[in-house]
Amino acid sequence: AALGTAVLGACGIPADSEPRAITEEQIPDTTTTTPDVGEEGQTRLVELYFTRFDGSRDVLTTVEHEVPTGGESGRPTPATVLEALLSGVPTDDAADPTIVTKIPDDTALASQPELNGGTLTVDLDDGIRGVQGNGARLAFGQMVCTVNLLDGVEGVVFEIEGDPVFPPMGDGETSSAPLTCASYDYLLG
């Protein structure tokens, strides 16, 4: 027993004669955090904007849809969300004939969307040129409102095959400034 006490006493932890305060720096961090990392095949529910006729005009409306997660955040990326939107009305919502898309079927991303300082640049291929007038306002409104819901996306600018374009806003006017869903307030149903 004496040998055990001698060994424990040699461990280098001095005994205090009275209680002493411990500073926060002396308290070890024992918490563990698990990063929110998406796994292969994981999906998240997001809102995609489509259009429906409300009896007097076409308006933007949301449809919830599962999309793949991506990146280290485990959240859907702008690319995965836009690809889901560009693929058309989800089959589980296709039963509602009032929900449609104004984005032409042959529209695709020309390159990966890039987020820089809160502004997302969306580069589309020439397929988007197949929509004009009110359809163009709704089509671009679908895309802007859908990605504007994503974390970090404060505004959206567009390119077609790398060339900047200024699509119509909800009121039909164009702007070179980044667009937000508020740019399409007139079309929200």
Side-chain angles (χ1 to χ4, degrees):
L3 179 61
T5 305
V7 171
L8 287 177
C11 286
I13 301 176
D16 291 339
S17 59
E18 58 186 60
R20 65 181 162 107
I22 298 175
T23 64
E24 194 156 325
E25 291 83 29
Q26 293 172 312
I27 300 172
D29 183 11
T30 58
T31 60
T32 57
T33 58
T34 306
D36 185 14
V37 177
E39 296 177 18
E40 183 94 16
Q42 186 178 8
T43 61
R44 292 259 175 112
L45 195 61
V46 298
E47 289 184 333
L48 303 177
Y49 276 81
F50 289 96
T51 66
R52 69 175 169 75
F53 187 70
D54 74 354
S56 62
R57 65 188 180 107
D58 288 315
V59 295
L60 296 172
T61 188
T62 60
V63 170
E64 289 188 332
H65 184 62
E66 293 278 337
V67 298
T69 60
E72 291 184 15
S73 72
R75 295 183 186 98
T77 64
T80 59
V81 171
L82 283 167
E83 286 166 356
L85 180 67
L86 295 175
S87 67
V89 179
T91 54
D92 50 337
D93 290 295
D96 184 348
T98 64
I99 297 176
V100 298
T101 184
K102 297 298 182 178
I103 302 169
D105 290 342
D106 59 346
T107 302
L109 294 174
S111 63
Q112 290 294 310
E114 293 182 18
L115 185 60
N116 186 6
T119 300
L120 183 70
T121 301
V122 177
D123 187 15
L124 301 169
D125 69 3
D126 281 327
I128 193 63
R129 294 186 195 274
V131 65
Q132 302 293 320
N134 191 46
R137 293 185 310 152
L138 289 160
F140 282 100
Q142 285 181 244
M143 291 182 277
V144 170
C145 289
T146 295
V147 296
N148 203 196
L149 292 173
L150 299 174
D151 288 340
V153 178
E154 298 169 13
V156 185
V157 295
F158 288 92
E159 296 178 348
I160 298 178
E161 301 286 344
D163 294 326
V165 294
F166 308 111
M169 296 181 292
D171 61 4
E173 297 296 317
T174 60
S175 172
S176 60
L179 303 172
T180 67
C181 197
S183 305
Y184 296 90
D185 277 348
Y186 172 76
L187 298 175
L188 295 174

